[in-house]
Amino acid sequence: SAAAPPTDSKSATAKPAATADGNTPPSTTSPSKSETPAASNPHQQEAAKLPADRKTLRGAMFKSYKRKQFHLAAAIGDRLQREFTLDWEAEVTYANALDRSDQAPRAIAVFLAFAKKYPSPKNKRGDDALFIAAELLHRSGKSAQAKPHYQQVAADSTSNLQAAAQKRLKELN
């Protein structure tokens, strides 16, 4: 069984405010400007009203997700990932909130970045994220793009999703 990534939420640091040219550095999981929901979105407005500390934002995202307020959880996750580095648990919750708030393309990007950051077999959550990304691609009608991700999970003898990936590959062939 592989070790999980560190979960010490207090040790995370804020992202740099700006680069030398005055621009905020991009996050590996941040959506492009064209994919970011409009600031007039009521969930984005509600997220903007929250205090700017990591612990409060993280807690509010988890609470919103637990209450099935997925759009709000995704909006809080947007802010959280812009302002701080996400720990593994917050990143997975953010990706799931994006998926459940009908933002599959953004969820796929976050899951794939997560799988790259925490690869299997070193970390069990990496293959889970890769499989979920493949499932989202498949559901979106992009089975050809999903196939290599299924193949990677199917080839991982340590994956608890190996059989599911193999089954999905048989269905795709």
Side-chain angles (χ1 to χ4, degrees), residues 27-95:
S27 166
T28 58
T29 59
S30 66
S32 69
K33 289 187 180 191
S34 64
E35 295 174 330
T36 304
S40 61
N41 176 321
H43 302 293
Q44 293 289 335
Q45 291 173 353
E46 190 170 342
K49 293 177 186 176
L50 293 169
D53 68 281
R54 182 183 184 282
K55 184 177 179 180
T56 301
L57 290 172
R58 188 177 185 277
M61 181 179 68
F62 286 126
K63 188 175 182 179
S64 297
Y65 188 86
K66 186 176 180 180
R67 291 181 174 172
K68 299 185 185 324
Q69 297 171 322
F70 302 121
H71 285 85
L72 179 57
I76 296 168
D78 286 340
R79 181 172 172 206
L80 188 60
Q81 67 84 30
R82 273 193 315 270
E83 296 177 17
F84 302 95
T85 301
L86 298 180
D87 60 84
W88 72 267
E89 190 176 22
E91 196 165 355
V92 168
T93 301
Y94 174 50

Side-chain angles (χ1 to χ4, degrees), residues 5 9 17 24 31 34 38 46 50 52 59 74 91 102 104 109 115 120 125 127 132 137 139 150 153-154 167 171:
S9 60
T24 303
S34 64
E46 190 170 342
L50 293 169
E91 196 165 355
D102 301 319
S120 183
R125 290 177 179 88
D127 68 317
I132 293 167
L137 285 163
R139 273 196 334 224
Y150 285 128
V153 176
K167 179 181 177 188
E171 293 170 3

